[in-house]
Amino acid sequence: MSEAVIIGGVRTPFVKAAGQLKDTPAPELGRLVVRELIERYDLDPNDVDELITGNVASPVDAANVSRVIALRAGIPRSKIAHTVSRNCASGLESITQAVDRIELGHAKCVIAVGVDSMSNVPVFWSKSFAEKLFKMSTAKGSFGKLKALFKIRPKDLAPQIGLKLGLTDPVIGMMMGDTAEKLARELHISREEQDAFALRSHQKAIAALESGRLADETMTIYPEPSSDAILQDIGPRKEQSLEALGKMKPYFDRRWGSITIGNACGVTDGAAALLIMDADKAKELGLEPIGRLRSAAFAGCDPERMGIGPVYSTALALQKAGMKLDDMDLVELNEAFAAQVLACTRLFESPPENCIDNDAAARLGAVNPDKLNVNGGAIALGHPVGATGARLVLTLLGELRRRKQTNGLATMCIGGGQGGSAIVENFQKAA
Amino acid sequence: MSATWHVDELGDGIMRVTINREDRPVNSLSRQSLEELSRLITRINSDSSLNGVLFISGKPGNFIAGADVTELKDLQDQDAARNISQFGQSVFQALEDLTVPTVALISGACLGGGLEFAMSCRYRIAADDSKTLLALPEVQLGLIPGWGGTIRLPKLIGFLNAMPMILTGKKLGGHQARSKGLVHDTVPVEALLSVGEKIIQACVEKGTANHLFRKPKKPLWLRLVERRGVFQKYAVNKAEKQVLAKSHGHYPAPQAACEALRSGIGRRDADKFAIESEIVSKLADNPVTAECMRLFFLQEDAKKPPADMDLSDVGEIHNAAVIGAGAMGAGIALMLAKKDIWTQLKDLKPEFVANGIKTVRTLVGKEVKRKRTSKTDAQRALDHLSPTTEYRGLKHADIVIEAVLEDVEIKRSVFRELAAAANDKTVLATNTSSLLVKDIAEGVPHPERVVGLHFFNPPHQMPLVEIIHTDQTSPEALATTIALARRIGKTMVVVGDCAGFLVNRLLAPYMNEAGFLLAEVASPMDIDRAMVSFGMPMGPLELTDLVGVGVAAHVAENMHKAYGDRMKPAPLWNSLKQLKAPAGQKPKLLYKTRKGHGLNQEVARAIVDLRADQKPVTAPGREEIIERLVYPIINEAARCLEEGIARRPEDVDLAMVFGTGFAPFRGGPLRYADSIGLQKIVDSLEAYSEQHPHLAPSQALKDMAKREQPFFLEPVQPTTIREAALA
C-alpha cells in the first residue's frame, strides 16, 4: 500500500461573518488557498490528480463547489474534484478521503480543502410563498395572475434564515447551542468555568498572533471591495475580560442557560487547504513532507449530546493507531462551545460506558491543559464550519514542528451526533 | 483562379454558399471575388427551382473582414476608386434585388465590405459569441464605405445609430447588432445553418420570415423624428463639429463621411450611391489616405513577429510574474491575466500590493460597467492574478517582468533575487524607460535571458511596446518576449539597447528644444499651438507637464550624460528644477485658464531672467518652431538607423506614431522627412546650428542627403498643414 504524506498547507485569515470577507464567497476563498498552495510549493497543476473540498453551506451558485474551485485555481480540466460534507468535520473529512484515495492507489497527489463562507448563507423564502409564486407564474391571463397574487399573506413573506436552519438538528429539533446547554446541565459545567475557558482561548490566540506563530500557515489576502490586506485572523480580542464575558446574556436558553456568544465559537468565513501526496511522488517532485496521518476515525453518538463526539472518535482513533491519549504531545480539540470542550475533557478522564469497547476506552485519560489548544481555538479564531477540520490539522502540525514534538491529536464534535479524530505525526524538526 | 464563393445544394431548393477564399487565411473581397459573386447572382436569378440562398463563412472566427486591403493599397487614382466603388454598388444592388430570399449567417468579423455585403442580403443572423463583430471601419483607413454602406446602414438601424458606425468605425457585437436591428437575431454559432434553413422554409410557406423575429425597440417619436431631413442635417452638423475638434482637420475621412451623409439627405437612392462613389474617389488620391493605410499595414505587421524571427520553438506562455505593483506593473499584470496567463503581482509590502490589486479591480470594474468585458471574463482575468509579497512559485514561470523604481541598484537586486527564484530559462524582462538593459543585466546569472520590454503609460491603453535586446540576449529569450507582446496584442518594435531606447531617445531632442524655444518665443503658448497644428496630439509643453517637470529635467540630464552636448539640457530646465507647486498639486509649466492654458508665473519670471542674460534674438515664427522641434527627431533617427538601434525606418515611424502620437497622417517622422527632402532638412539644421550648435545635422543624415537617398523606397506626397481638410 502507498503511504500518504502531508507536504504542507495554508489557510486564509479567519474573519467574522459579515466582516471584511462578506463579498468573498466560498468558491473564491477556496480558489485563494488552492492557488496559494500551488505557488508556495511551485507545483505544476498537472501533477494534482484531484481536489476534495469539505463544505457545509453549499453555495447555491456552485453546486459542486470543489470543481468550481479547481477550475478557477488552474487545476487542468481533465482532473477531478468532488465536495464532501460531514457537517463541522467536513474539512477533516476531505483530508481523510484524500489520504484514503492515495493509499488505495487512486491518486498520487490530492489537494484537500475546507471552506465555508457563513456570510453568504442565503436567506430563503418560505415554502408557502415559493408555491404561491409558482402558481402565479403558471396562472392564465392577467386576471388569473392577479388572483394568485392576492393569495399571498404577510406571514408567507417571513424569511427563513439559512444559517439558523443549518445550525439546527432537524432530527431532534435542537439548535447546536441547545445541545451544549444540555451537556452543561448534565455534567454541571458552570458559567464561570466556561467563561474562564473562553478567556484563555482569546489569551492564547493573541499570544500566538503576536509571536507570529500562526504567520506561516496564514496567507495574506486582499478581499473586495476595499482590497486592503488582511494579514492575520480577526477574532481574538486582546481586551477580552472575564467581567465582559460575565455580562453577556445566555443566547440559547435565555433565562436559565449558561451558553453565551462569548463562550461559543463565532460565525466565521475562511478556508484552509492541505497538499497531500504519495510519498514516492513527493520524493520525485523533490518536496519534503511535514508529516502524515497515523490514523483517523469518525464515531457516532447521541445527536442531543453531539458535543461529546470527540470522546468516541478519539478512543477509536487511538485504538487504530495503537496509542494512548497520554502519548499525544499536543491536542487540538475544536472549541464549538466552551461547555462542550469541558464536557469532553471530563469524559476523557472517565469515559462513558458506551464508549466503543473496553480496550478503546482504556486508551483515553486526562488531558494536560498545557497541551490543549495551545494557540487558542475556535472561540477566539472562529469556526468557518467546513474549514475548521483542515485548520486543526494544519495548526497542529505547525506547532508540533516548532516544539520538535512528534504526535498530536486533532478532534472535533460534529452536529448531528458524531465525532471526528485524526492522529498526526510530525516528520520535521524545526531548525 | 482561386474561388471565394463555393456553392452546394442542401435540398428543398436551398442553396448554400460557403465563403472561403482559398488563397487567403482571412475572407476578403477582391475585385475578382466581386466578379465571381456577380456571376453567382446571375446564376441564382436564372435558376427557378431555388427557394433561397444561405451565405455562411468557411473560416472560423471570420465572416468577411472587408475589401481586399492589398487591392486598396493600389487605389490611388480617382477613376480606379470610383470604378471599383460603382462596381461593388451594382453587384450588391443585384444581390438585394434577388427575388429569392437570401440569408447572411454571420460568425466572426464582419467588417467594411463584408458588412455591406451582409446588409444587401434579405436576412442577417449573427452568432452570439464574442468573436462576432460588425463594423464599418473604413474611416480608420482614411476612406468611407463605398459599396452602399452609407445608404443601407441608416436604412436598417436608423440615422442616429448609423452615424457613429460610419463616422468613427464603432464596432457592434452580435447582441448589440440585434438590439439595434442590424441583424434579425443572434443564435449559437452551431445553430446558424439550421436557423437559416428555417427562415427560407418560412419564406416558402408565408412569403416572408419577418414573423419569426422581434422588432428592435425604439420609441415612436424617435422613429418619426429621425426620418426628418432637418433633424438629420442638424445631427450630422453636430457630429462633424465633434469630429473636427478631435482631428483638427487633419483627417479628411470622417469629414468626408459627414459630407456623404449630409449630401444624401432627402435625395433618391440612385443619387446617394453616386455621391458615395464620388466621395470615395476624392479620398482615394488624398495623400493622408495613403499614409493612414500605410500605417495601418505597418501596424498589422508589427503585431506579428518580425519576418526574420522564428517563433515556432517558443512554447505557450502559461506562467508569469510582474514585480512592482504600481500603476505600470498592475496594468501589465492585468493584460497578461486577461490572456489566461497565470500571473503573480509582487511588491515589497502588502500595502503596495493592495494598491496594485485596487488598480486592477478598478480597471476591470470599468470594463464590466462599459460592457467591454463580461462578468465571467472579468472574474476569469482576476482569477489568473495572484498578489504576493514573496518570490515564490517562479520555477515554472516563463517570463517575469520587472516594473519597480527607476534605480539601477534596486533593479539589479530585484534581478538577482529573481534569478535565484526562477529557473535558468525564465525570461527576465525589465520595463525600464531610462536605464540601459545591459546595466541591469550585469551580474545576473545567465544574462542571455535578460531583455527590455518597455511599455508606455498607461500600459493597457498605449498600443506600443519596445522590445530591447542587448548584445547578450539570446534569440530564445527575444522570441519568448515577442510571443508575449503578440499574445497581448501590442504593436511592437524590436530595438537595440541605448539610453532612452528608440522612442524616448527621439523624443528627447524634441522636448529639450521646446525648452530652448520657450526662452525665445514671444508667446510661449505658440509652441504648443504650432505643434498641435502640425498634428501632434498635444504640444511639448503640455506633454512636459504630463510627464512632470522634474522627471523631464531628470531625463534631460540622463540624455546629456549618454549623448553629450547635442542633448545638453536647455538652460531653462535647470532654473525650473526647483519649480514649486501649490500644495497638493504637481508643478506645471502651464496652468488651465478660462481661455485654455496660461503660463505659470514663476516660469514667466525665469524666462525674463534668462532673456536678460542672453543677447536678444528675433522671436521664431511657427515654421521655425516646427522645424526646430521636428528636424532634430529626424536627425537623431538617422543616427539610430546607422547604429542599428532601429532595425528599419518603418520601425521609427511606427514607434513615434504609436508611442508618442506623432502626426499619424504624416506617416511618421521619417515619412515626413522624405516628403520634405533630406537635403532641405540638412540645410535648415545647418542654418540653425550657427546659433544653436546642438542642432547640427548628423553625419548619417548628411550622407543620406548627399546620396539623394530617401528613407523609404515608396514615393511620398507632401502633407502640409490643414491642406488635408476637404474643401
Side-chain angles (χ1 to χ4, degrees):
Chain A
M1 203 166 83
S2 328
E3 189 195 9
V5 292
I6 299 170
I7 304 300
V10 70
R11 65 178 178 93
T12 66
F14 283 7
V15 179
K16 258 188 213 159
Q20 290 96 320
L21 288 182
K22 68 178 167 54
D23 292 329
T24 311
E28 172 70 3
L29 285 171
R31 180 192 75 82
L32 285 170
V33 282
V34 173
R35 199 63 217 162
E36 179 77 9
L37 265 192
I38 291 173
E39 279 158 14
R40 272 198 190 186
Y41 294 95
D42 238 321
L43 284 184
D44 179 348
N46 282 301
D47 284 327
V48 180
D49 297 317
E50 59 181 287
L51 192 85
I52 305 176
T53 302
N55 172 260
V56 179
S58 304
V60 278
D61 56 352
N64 176 6
V65 67
S66 199
R67 179 66 172 164
V68 177
I69 293 171
L71 291 180
R72 284 186 54 193
I75 308 284
R77 294 174 180 192
S78 56
K79 309 294 182 176
I80 54 176
H82 72 281
T83 308
V84 295
S85 173
R86 196 192 283 274
N87 269 359
C88 320
S90 299
L92 189 59
E93 178 66 29
S94 70
I95 295 174
T96 58
Q97 281 204 18
V99 169
D100 289 349
R101 298 278 297 164
I102 290 168
E103 297 199 330
L104 288 172
H106 294 312
K108 297 262 177 229
C109 172
V110 182
I111 295 181
V113 182
V115 60
D116 252 308
S117 170
M118 299 177 77
S119 301
N120 283 288
V121 176
V123 171
F124 302 99
W125 295 109
S126 69
K127 183 107 197 323
S128 60
F129 182 58
E131 272 169 7
K132 286 171 186 177
L133 269 187
F134 182 73
K135 265 192 193 142
M136 199 171 92
S137 72
T138 53
K140 284 202 179 119
S142 318
F143 184 69
K145 282 190 199 305
L146 208 64
K147 220 168 109 186
L149 181 70
F150 279 116
K151 291 243 167 85
I152 295 169
R153 300 274 172 272
K155 73 166 189 211
D156 292 329
L157 297 174
Q160 308 274 302
I161 315 288
L163 194 61
K164 201 169 162 186
L165 295 177
L167 293 175
T168 306
D169 186 327
V171 178
I172 51 172
M174 286 168 79
M175 281 192 78
M176 292 301 116
D178 298 327
T179 72
E181 285 284 10
K182 193 174 187 87
L183 289 175
R185 287 192 298 264
E186 287 181 352
L187 295 168
H188 309 292
I189 302 165
S190 70
R191 167 79 185 264
E192 289 70 30
E193 261 182 291
Q194 294 178 38
D195 285 352
F197 184 88
L199 180 66
R200 280 292 294 146
S201 184
H202 279 282
Q203 289 167 340
K204 285 186 283 189
I206 285 290
L209 288 180
E210 284 181 350
S211 68
R213 282 204 291 277
L214 300 179
D216 267 0
E217 67 180 56
T218 315
M219 67 181 286
T220 304
I221 53 173
Y222 304 87
E224 289 199 84
S226 75
S227 300
D228 288 335
I230 303 181
L231 301 157
Q232 60 181 29
D233 303 305
I234 300 176
R237 282 191 294 269
K238 204 173 178 176
E239 68 283 4
Q240 187 61 276
S241 70
L242 262 186
E243 203 187 354
L245 284 169
K247 274 187 191 157
M248 286 182 178
K249 286 236 163 73
Y251 186 80
F252 299 96
D253 179 353
R254 287 184 183 265
R255 292 174 63 202
W256 309 108
S258 60
I259 314 280
T260 67
I261 303 276
N263 59 36
C265 64
V267 177
T268 306
D269 302 333
L274 272 82
L275 179 58
I276 304 174
M277 275 188 199
D278 174 82
D280 294 334
K281 177 80 177 177
K283 210 172 279 171
E284 183 194 311
L285 294 180
L287 291 166
E288 188 72 27
I290 58 169
R292 67 173 181 117
L293 282 201
R294 268 175 174 260
S295 78
F298 294 95
C301 66
D302 177 6
E304 293 189 12
R305 296 172 183 80
M306 69 92 202
I308 55 169
V311 179
Y312 302 89
S313 60
T314 301
L316 198 55
L318 288 169
Q319 191 176 43
K320 274 191 185 173
M323 302 176 87
K324 291 185 146 190
L325 188 55
D326 204 36
D327 297 331
M328 297 300 116
D329 300 310
L330 287 174
V331 174
E332 283 288 333
L333 203 173
N334 188 39
E335 301 169 354
F337 302 95
Q340 161 265 329
V341 178
L342 294 167
C344 284
T345 54
R346 286 189 193 180
L347 293 180
F348 277 146
E349 249 184 291
S350 47
E353 278 173 20
N354 62 352
C355 187
I356 315 293
D357 56 40
N358 286 341
D359 170 67
R363 293 173 185 276
L364 297 170
V367 182
N368 179 350
D370 294 340
K371 290 182 181 177
L372 180 68
N373 300 355
V374 292
N375 291 321
I379 289 176
L381 299 171
H383 180 21
V385 190
T388 299
R391 177 187 72 81
L392 292 181
V393 173
L394 183 61
T395 306
L396 182 59
L397 276 166
E399 190 58 29
L400 283 171
R401 182 178 178 181
R402 259 183 302 278
R403 295 180 178 225
K404 303 186 187 177
Q405 290 172 332
T406 311
N407 297 313
L409 167 72
T411 179
M412 55 201 309
C413 62
I414 304 171
Q418 299 186 67
S421 298
I423 294 173
V424 305
E425 177 185 349
N426 167 42
F427 290 163
Q428 297 182 338
K429 307 291 178 228
Chain B
M1 203 165 86
S2 54
T4 306
W5 316 88
H6 305 267
V7 175
D8 63 346
E9 300 288 334
L10 293 178
D12 293 339
I14 299 174
M15 176 195 269
R16 170 169 64 180
V17 181
T18 307
I19 312 162
N20 196 351
R21 260 191 92 164
E22 288 163 340
D23 53 340
R24 291 285 158 81
V26 169
N27 283 332
S28 61
L29 298 176
S30 62
R31 183 165 190 115
Q32 193 195 321
S33 36
L34 282 179
E35 283 163 0
E36 205 187 316
L37 177 64
S38 174
R39 284 194 297 275
L40 178 64
I41 292 168
T42 318
R43 179 178 150 190
I44 295 169
N45 257 331
S46 62
D47 188 343
S48 57
S49 68
L50 273 184
N51 284 327
V53 185
L54 303 178
F55 290 98
I56 192 161
S57 169
K59 293 188 196 291
N62 164 250
F63 182 70
I64 301 176
D68 191 328
V69 278
T70 48
E71 284 184 6
L72 279 182
K73 258 188 204 169
D74 307 328
L75 273 191
Q76 284 174 12
D77 85 81
Q78 295 208 5
D79 289 334
R82 189 183 303 111
N83 187 289
I84 186 75
S85 165
Q86 285 170 347
F87 180 57
Q89 286 176 350
S90 70
V91 175
F92 288 173
Q93 191 59 52
L95 176 64
E96 195 180 62
D97 292 342
L98 279 176
T99 46
V100 291
T102 48
V103 188
L105 301 168
I106 303 163
S107 66
C110 176
L111 307 175
L115 181 56
E116 291 176 298
F117 163 78
M119 286 193 292
S120 309
C121 293
R122 198 171 303 167
Y123 298 100
R124 283 160 299 284
I125 303 295
D128 62 1
D129 54 17
S130 61
K131 280 183 191 154
T132 300
L133 283 176
L134 298 93
L136 293 174
E138 281 87 348
V139 248
Q140 289 160 2
L141 285 177
L143 283 173
I144 68 163
W147 291 337
T150 61
I151 297 109
R152 289 199 177 91
L153 189 64
K155 268 193 194 166
L156 282 174
I157 66 173
F159 202 82
L160 270 188
N161 282 331
M163 270 202 320
M165 289 189 72
I166 295 172
L167 301 185
T168 67
K170 185 184 168 188
K171 287 179 190 143
L172 298 185
H175 290 298
Q176 287 168 303
R178 204 199 81 86
S179 67
K180 290 201 159 57
L182 183 52
V183 298
H184 292 79
D185 207 351
T186 50
V187 299
V189 65
E190 63 274 11
L192 279 174
L193 205 59
S194 62
V195 169
E197 285 173 323
K198 276 176 200 147
I199 291 174
I200 291 179
Q201 277 158 13
C203 288
V204 171
E205 284 160 20
K206 303 198 174 178
T208 171
N210 284 337
H211 58 282
L212 296 177
F213 310 111
R214 275 173 294 167
K215 267 198 176 161
K217 283 176 194 159
K218 200 183 240 184
L220 183 67
W221 68 266
L222 186 60
R223 254 184 274 173
L224 292 177
V225 167
E226 204 175 27
R227 272 186 230 148
R228 299 269 154 219
V230 187
F231 171 79
Q232 293 181 351
K233 204 170 255 173
Y234 170 77
V236 175
N237 288 344
K238 196 146 187 218
E240 189 173 26
K241 261 185 212 152
Q242 288 174 1
V243 166
L244 264 176
K246 247 191 194 168
S247 70
H248 296 281
H250 292 312
Y251 300 91
Q255 261 171 294
C258 289
E259 187 55 38
L261 286 177
R262 187 168 37 219
S263 325
I265 295 170
R267 303 273 192 102
R268 288 179 302 130
D269 279 358
D271 294 340
K272 290 187 187 173
F273 280 111
I275 292 167
E276 186 182 83
S277 48
E278 200 49 44
I279 290 182
V280 169
S281 76
K282 260 195 224 161
L283 284 173
D285 72 342
N286 190 307
V288 172
T289 306
E291 291 308 328
C292 284
M293 272 195 224
R294 182 179 157 273
L295 268 179
F296 175 81
F297 293 120
L298 278 185
Q299 194 185 15
E300 287 304 299
D301 279 346
K303 283 178 184 167
K304 298 172 206 144
D308 54 342
M309 275 183 207
D310 181 17
L311 294 196
S312 52
D313 284 345
V314 180
E316 208 189 327
I317 296 168
H318 292 289
N319 295 293
V322 176
I323 315 300
M328 203 58 161
I332 297 170
L334 176 59
M335 281 191 287
L336 305 185
K338 271 180 157 178
K339 295 290 166 189
D340 289 349
I341 299 170
W342 295 97
T343 308
Q344 297 188 46
L345 180 60
K346 194 229 166 246
D347 211 317
L348 280 177
K349 290 185 184 167
E351 304 88 277
F352 303 156
V353 178
N355 277 334
I357 293 294
K358 250 175 246 176
T359 311
V360 168
R361 285 191 176 138
T362 314
L363 287 175
V364 173
K366 267 185 201 155
E367 282 180 30
V368 172
K369 213 171 178 184
R370 289 180 190 154
K371 297 203 173 151
R372 295 217 179 115
T373 306
S374 70
K375 273 189 185 164
T376 323
D377 285 345
Q379 185 188 60
R380 193 183 161 89
L382 293 175
D383 281 354
H384 279 79
L385 195 79
S386 315
T388 180
T389 50
E390 283 159 58
Y391 292 105
R392 84 293 202 258
L394 295 176
K395 286 277 180 271
H396 293 103
D398 302 296
I399 187 167
V400 181
I401 302 166
E402 162 277 317
V404 302
L405 287 179
E406 285 285 290
D407 178 310
V408 74
E409 281 313 315
I410 295 177
K411 283 189 193 271
R412 270 186 198 158
S413 75
V414 166
F415 269 64
R416 274 194 298 271
E417 287 169 303
L418 278 177
N423 71 54
D424 290 349
K425 294 232 166 77
T426 305
V427 175
L428 304 181
T430 169
N431 177 45
T432 182
S433 57
S434 62
L435 301 167
L436 288 180
V437 176
K438 69 165 192 274
D439 286 351
I440 298 169
E442 210 176 278
V444 176
H446 300 284
E448 71 279 359
R449 58 179 164 163
V450 178
V451 296
L453 184 57
H454 180 212
F455 289 86
F456 293 80
N457 207 1
H460 58 284
Q461 278 173 356
M462 295 295 283
L464 187 76
V465 288
E466 287 179 299
I467 297 176
I468 302 109
H469 61 90
T470 68
D471 298 339
Q472 291 174 299
T473 305
S474 70
E476 293 80 24
L478 193 59
T480 305
T481 315
I482 290 171
L484 181 81
R486 183 187 182 187
R487 178 116 165 240
I488 59 178
K490 289 291 173 192
T491 301
M492 54 185 132
V493 286
V494 177
V495 301
D497 194 15
C498 67
F501 311 131
L502 186 58
V503 172
N504 285 341
R505 174 168 170 185
L506 297 188
L507 202 58
Y510 168 84
M511 301 279 275
N512 199 22
E513 195 59 24
F516 281 104
L517 281 168
L518 192 55
E520 297 169 29
V521 183
S523 163
M525 257 55 76
D526 284 352
I527 300 173
D528 277 13
R529 279 191 210 117
M531 292 326 291
V532 171
S533 78
F534 177 78
M536 298 299 195
M538 66 176 77
L541 303 181
E542 205 185 333
L543 184 59
T544 306
D545 281 341
L546 195 76
V547 177
V549 180
V551 177
H554 181 72
V555 170
E557 271 170 37
N558 272 349
M559 290 296 175
H560 185 205
K561 252 181 253 164
Y563 299 109
D565 276 350
R566 73 170 191 268
M567 300 241 191
K568 192 175 173 191
L572 195 63
W573 292 152
N574 277 327
S575 45
L576 290 183
K577 242 193 264 173
Q578 263 78 46
L579 188 62
K580 281 185 201 68
Q585 281 182 329
K586 263 189 11 185
K588 279 181 156 194
L589 303 172
L590 307 176
Y591 279 99
K592 272 230 161 88
T593 65
R594 236 179 294 160
K595 279 185 188 169
H597 284 99
L599 197 64
N600 184 338
Q601 283 310 304
E602 224 179 304
V603 179
R605 247 173 275 132
I607 293 173
V608 172
D609 289 349
L610 204 66
R611 281 187 189 160
D613 296 345
Q614 286 172 347
K615 47 185 182 263
V617 289
T618 44
R622 177 169 280 195
E623 197 177 333
E624 184 179 339
I625 292 175
I626 292 175
E627 287 184 1
R628 275 176 61 185
L629 286 170
V630 177
Y631 290 179
I633 299 180
I634 298 162
N635 196 18
E636 197 62 30
R639 282 194 181 94
C640 287
L641 282 168
E642 194 194 43
E643 291 168 21
I645 293 299
R647 292 152 49 96
R648 351 168 266 164
E650 285 88 346
D651 285 354
V652 173
D653 281 356
L654 260 180
M656 290 308 278
V657 171
F658 293 106
T660 72
F662 188 99
F665 63 94
R666 297 184 191 276
L670 298 188
R671 206 59 191 157
Y672 176 65
D674 276 1
S675 77
I676 300 286
L678 299 194
Q679 190 56 51
K680 185 174 173 284
I681 295 172
V682 169
D683 292 345
S684 304
L685 283 173
E686 253 159 8
Y688 291 130
S689 68
E690 279 169 24
Q691 273 200 356
H692 309 280
H694 61 273
L695 291 178
S698 64
Q699 196 56 47
L701 192 66
K702 279 197 278 193
D703 289 349
M704 285 184 79
K706 206 184 210 172
R707 290 197 300 269
E708 292 184 22
Q709 173 198 357
F711 285 104
F712 299 97
L713 295 174
E714 313 121 275
V716 55
Q717 298 177 45
T719 54
T720 49
I721 299 157
R722 285 191 190 278
E723 73 160 24
L726 215 71

